[in-house]
């Protein structure tokens, strides 16, 4: 089984370089991510309840 070649490889007679490897070599080293602020504590919203009908009877 032969490895398929591109039209450029057949035209120029040599294999084309790996694009992904070239891109990795061109990229600068990325800086570290900033540390975020501490997450706010989740607060349960206070919802007043409606009194039950039997508690209103006196």
């Amino acid at each position: 089984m032969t490895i398929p070649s591109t039209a450029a490889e057949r035209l120029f007679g040599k294999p084309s370089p790996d694009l992904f490897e070239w891109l990795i070599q061109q990229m600068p080293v990325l800086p570290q991510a900033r540390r975020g602020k501490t997450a706010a504590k989740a607060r349960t919203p206070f919802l007043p309840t409606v009194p039950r009908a039997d508690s209103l009877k006196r």
Side-chain angles (χ1 to χ4, degrees):
M1 184 168 156
T2 61
I3 299 173
S5 61
T6 64
E9 289 174 351
R10 291 189 300 273
L11 179 65
F12 296 113
K14 60 180 182 178
S16 57
D18 185 9
L19 180 60
F20 185 72
E21 288 296 326
W22 176 84
L23 182 63
I24 295 297
Q25 291 173 359
Q26 301 302 313
M27 289 180 59
V29 176
L30 298 176
Q32 291 287 328
R34 292 192 316 173
R35 293 178 65 186
K37 296 181 180 178
T38 56
K41 292 182 181 179
R43 292 183 291 167
T44 305
F46 175 73
L47 299 175
T49 58
V50 177
R52 295 188 338 204
D54 62 342
S55 66
L56 296 176
K57 295 179 184 176
R58 294 184 191 196

